[in-house]
Amino acid sequence: MLKNIKKTLGLVSASCLLLALNANALSKPPIAEGNAKFLGNVYAGAQVQDFADYWNQVTPENAGKWGSVERTRDVMNWNELDKAYALAVNNDIPFKLHVLIWGNQQPGWMDTLPKDEQLAEIEEWFAALANRYSDIDFIEVVNEPLNAPPNGDNPRFSSSPAANYSEALGGDGTTGYDWIIKSFELARHYFPDSNLLINEYGIINETNLTKEYVKIVNLLKERDLIDSVGFQAHAFSTTGASSNLKNNLDLLAATGLDIYVTELDIDGTDDAVQLASYKRLFPIFWDHSAVKGITLWGWRPGLWRDAEGAYLIDKSGNERPALLWLKSYINDDIPTINADQMFTIKEDAAALASVGQLSFTDTTNVITGFTINNNTSPFVIDDEGNITLSSTGSLDYESTSSYTLSVSAMGDFGSTLAVTVTVNIIDITEAVTPELEPESSSSSGGSMSWSLLLSLFLTRLVITKRKA
């Protein structure tokens, strides 16, 4: 094989890599700066603008696939992969290689080679990457082993055959997955300092697939060949119930390995739809203790799910509500209304009378208003959180002694979770009823004076007429 040619081509283009290392500089902190977990994105043409202002991990979308680098045998195209790697190095953020072994986007010329030559070419591919990129933080060694293995069969949901070289790696063998084990053995040899992952789609949504995936992970774990578990979370694979997603995530976590969400996108051509989906899905992944990082699969128009509206920057260059919410959520800046607040107001209060102001937290001043959800009460709330009796409102303790309000704050981020606020009505009759006090004893034997009895009678008469 022409190993020397590959090495020479690598040396010739090394200067391109060195130049590229100065191409991108961090201008402001990314969203997850200082967080224990990273929030990354893909390197691809349309996704590069302002990348480092938002994301602190890089994965090349297509540039790191074998078919992209060596489409023609022994002719290596490192150009885009160099740029992706440089973006990570320049900004001191993790770089994840996607991907070493897969059934799709592989060199077509591999399929017709004898098995021994296929294995030799696989090792050359690994070696070429290791020689060129000295500090790869994460490597997806095998991608989609269940849905798109390189065995020549049609991948799931595809009518075209996959690459066909798994037999050169040992085929099914005695474990059923010997070819995966061999791939990881080679990866551990050529990339001893990198964090080695496996990657698959459909896992988080399909429990049976999750269990089979865990079986593969444990085979690798027993041999000390795997460091972390990756799973894709494309919009079409996160449609199940939240409880099912959480349970499957727990199954992965039970392996004892760190978990990475490798490919996340959330659709929504409508801002409100996308925002609601982000609020439902993202916390499930981000807040799980075993998940150590999330990589979004694009964020600007031109990403692979463009028609489905998975971008976070709109076509006018504006941040969509889901992105505004995401930034606040990651940094714990989502405003909150303090729970279980209680106010009182007298039943004879005039229209527009003040009830009180909500207590809330808004450290980044993103709240633009408040709302009483599904409001049927006589109260209204303004943009500052002040609750008042409405202009047509009236109160009557005997008919309603207490109101329970569901209140939310609003802003470009969407709305906060609703909290319950209670307004109790004060019965004014209790406030005016005099207390009976004993009259001092008189010569007639200690009975009350006629004047006091008359006063009590008149008071009761007034009260009775008011209630009537």
Side-chain angles (χ1 to χ4, degrees), residues 36 51 70 84 157 161 163 193 341 350 352 385 434 462:
F51 186 101
E70 196 178 4
F157 307 122
D193 299 321
Q341 296 184 58
L352 303 180
V462 170

Side-chain angles (χ1 to χ4, degrees), residues 1 19 27 32 41 48 87 105 138 183 187 198 203 218 298 336-337 354 367 394 425 430 436 455:
M1 300 308 300
L19 290 173
S27 58
N41 219 308
V48 176
L87 179 61
Q105 294 179 258
F138 300 90
S183 298
I198 194 168
I203 296 302
N218 285 330
T336 57
I337 303 173
S354 175
I367 291 178
S394 63
I425 312 305
E430 293 182 356
L436 294 176
S455 175

Side-chain angles (χ1 to χ4, degrees), residues 248-259:
N248 289 337
L249 188 51
D250 287 341
L251 288 176
L252 297 179
T255 64
L257 299 175
D258 290 342
I259 299 173

Side-chain angles (χ1 to χ4, degrees), residues 76-232:
M76 313 299 279
N77 179 8
W78 301 107
N79 185 47
E80 290 303 307
L81 190 54
D82 283 351
K83 292 177 183 177
Y85 184 75
L87 179 61
V89 172
N90 281 349
N91 294 293
D92 193 26
I93 57 180
F95 177 80
K96 176 161 61 66
L97 181 71
H98 172 77
V99 54
L100 294 180
I101 299 294
W102 188 22
N104 291 319
Q105 294 179 258
Q106 303 295 282
W109 49 263
M110 270 286 288
D111 294 344
T112 58
L113 298 180
K115 291 180 185 178
D116 59 340
E117 286 191 37
Q118 286 182 329
L119 183 58
E121 287 291 344
I122 292 169
E123 292 207 48
E124 285 187 28
W125 162 233
F126 284 27
L129 287 166
N131 289 335
R132 189 170 187 82
Y133 307 110
S134 60
D135 191 16
I136 301 177
D137 300 283
F138 300 90
I139 298 177
E140 293 173 12
V141 179
V142 175
N143 191 39
E144 301 175 4
L146 295 172
N147 287 312
N151 59 7
D153 295 338
N154 290 352
R156 190 181 185 189
F157 307 122
S158 175
S159 58
S160 301
N164 189 12
Y165 58 77
S166 63
E167 287 299 321
L169 290 163
D172 292 343
T174 58
T175 66
Y177 296 107
D178 280 15
W179 68 274
I180 299 176
I181 294 171
K182 179 64 174 180
S183 298
F184 272 83
E185 288 174 345
L186 292 173
R188 187 67 89 194
H189 172 74
Y190 285 100
F191 308 97
D193 299 321
S194 297
N195 188 307
L196 303 184
L197 296 88
I198 194 168
N199 191 38
E200 183 59 273
Y201 74 83
I203 296 302
I204 200 66
N205 218 31
E206 302 178 45
T207 301
N208 288 337
L209 207 61
T210 303
K211 291 178 178 179
E212 190 64 20
Y213 194 51
V214 167
K215 176 182 174 182
I216 296 172
V217 170
N218 285 330
L219 286 172
L220 296 168
K221 183 182 175 184
E222 290 167 2
R223 293 161 173 81
D224 194 26
L225 295 174
I226 190 170
D227 301 303
S228 302
V229 180
F231 72 88
Q232 302 172 27

Side-chain angles (χ1 to χ4, degrees), residues 257-271:
L257 299 175
D258 290 342
I259 299 173
Y260 291 90
V261 183
T262 56
E263 304 176 28
L264 173 67
D265 44 54
I266 297 177
D267 294 345
T269 54
D270 179 83
D271 284 347

Side-chain angles (χ1 to χ4, degrees), residues 36 45 66 126 129 160 184 341-342 373 422 454 457 468:
W66 194 1
F126 284 27
L129 287 166
S160 301
F184 272 83
Q341 296 184 58
M342 187 175 295
N373 304 299
T422 303
L454 178 61
F457 172 78

